[in-house]
Amino acid sequence: DSGVTQTPKHLITATGQRVTLRCSPRSGDLSVYWYQQSLDQGLQFLIQYYNGEERAKGNILERFSAQQFPDLHSELNLSSLELGDSALYFCASSPQGGGTEAFFGQGTRLTVV
Amino acid sequence: GQSLEQPSEVTAVEGAIVQINCTYQTSGFYGLSWYQQHDGGAPTFLSYNALDGLEETGRFSSFLSRSDSYGYLLLQELQMKDSASYFCAVSSGSARQLTFGSGTQLTVLP
């Protein structure tokens, strides 16, 4: 158990819908990262937060948004969903400014039908 | 931006030694790390190199050459359970963004 909690574990939704994925980082970790992993693909960096503020942005679509709350949990919002958005979405956390050891949650498997 | 290259597949037999290479291009480099991921599971941290040289953790070792923008993961005494995907990742930029390579699928044969 990495100490990072992601909910829900599985999500099935229809095209055009909107979903929210939730992540609770390890106690004390200030950095949160979101990644998308499509079938047999690598981990695509979406966005990074540090202590409530956005620190870095990767290839995140405009239909996607995220935030980190004062209690340090983070949410990833995916809207106007398309079939191609079906993937595993991972959240990871790391201490301080991040970049060394990151701890991953078990992921949310999103299926868009 | 950042780019990382690693082989897509490596196959070896139980008990053998395998090396997975990673070359990278990035600005504001801080360090290179390695993660293991079993099918459908979460990536788990294996090692981190910020300075040149070899870091050893049990059967796994990781090497970094900053001047060559190159690193490798060395797995010794391979076991069947080592069959998994292995990702290198660079930490870079003021935000220490963590960017992953496309992964190397390691298959360990009996």
Side-chain angles (χ1 to χ4, degrees):
Chain A
D1 183 5
S2 68
V4 178
T5 303
Q6 287 188 250
T7 57
K9 286 188 172 48
H10 300 276
L11 197 50
I12 302 175
T13 190
T15 54
Q17 295 298 304
R18 172 190 167 94
V19 297
T20 297
L21 313 184
R22 182 187 168 99
C23 170
S24 294
R26 286 190 331 153
S27 176
D29 283 357
L30 299 178
S31 285
V32 169
Y33 304 83
W34 285 98
Y35 292 88
Q36 179 193 56
Q37 187 174 41
S38 302
L39 192 63
D40 294 333
Q41 297 294 311
L43 293 152
Q44 298 298 318
F45 171 69
L46 296 179
I47 198 163
Q48 176 192 355
Y49 284 86
Y50 175 74
N51 203 20
E53 295 192 3
E54 182 184 306
R55 289 291 298 271
K57 212 175 227 189
N59 297 323
I60 186 166
L61 300 172
E62 285 191 12
R63 300 183 285 109
F64 296 0
S65 65
Q67 55 184 328
Q68 187 180 28
F69 295 87
D71 66 352
L72 301 179
H73 91 271
S74 178
E75 292 181 356
L76 179 67
N77 302 295
L78 315 176
S79 62
S80 303
L81 284 167
E82 302 175 358
L83 296 178
D85 297 327
S86 295
L88 258 175
Y89 291 85
F90 285 105
C91 164
S93 74
S94 65
Q96 299 302 319
T100 55
E101 181 175 1
F103 298 86
F104 280 77
Q106 290 301 309
T108 293
R109 182 171 294 281
L110 173 66
T111 303
V112 182
V113 298
Chain B
Q2 300 86 8
S3 70
L4 298 94
E5 287 194 18
Q6 53 181 127
S8 58
E9 295 179 348
V10 172
T11 301
V13 296
E14 249 185 319
I17 299 172
V18 71
Q19 179 175 312
I20 300 174
N21 299 320
C22 175
T23 57
Y24 60 87
Q25 286 187 317
T26 187
S27 56
F29 175 84
Y30 278 100
L32 183 72
S33 50
W34 289 90
Y35 289 78
Q36 179 192 62
Q37 185 183 33
H38 286 98
D39 277 349
T44 56
F45 172 82
L46 293 176
S47 68
Y48 175 77
N49 295 67
L51 303 174
D52 286 356
L54 192 68
E55 294 280 343
E56 297 181 65
T57 308
R59 294 188 296 114
F60 294 179
S61 303
S62 58
F63 172 83
L64 174 66
S65 169
R66 295 175 68 113
S67 60
D68 294 324
S69 298
Y70 163 76
Y72 66 73
L73 178 69
L74 191 72
L75 298 87
Q76 302 181 72
E77 300 172 17
L78 281 173
Q79 302 175 7
M80 299 294 289
K81 68 178 181 180
D82 297 329
S83 291
S85 290
Y86 292 83
F87 295 88
C88 58
V90 291
S91 169
S92 62
S94 58
R96 303 205 179 191
Q97 176 180 326
L98 200 55
T99 304
F100 284 77
S102 54
T104 298
Q105 177 66 49
L106 170 64
T107 302
V108 180
L109 301 174

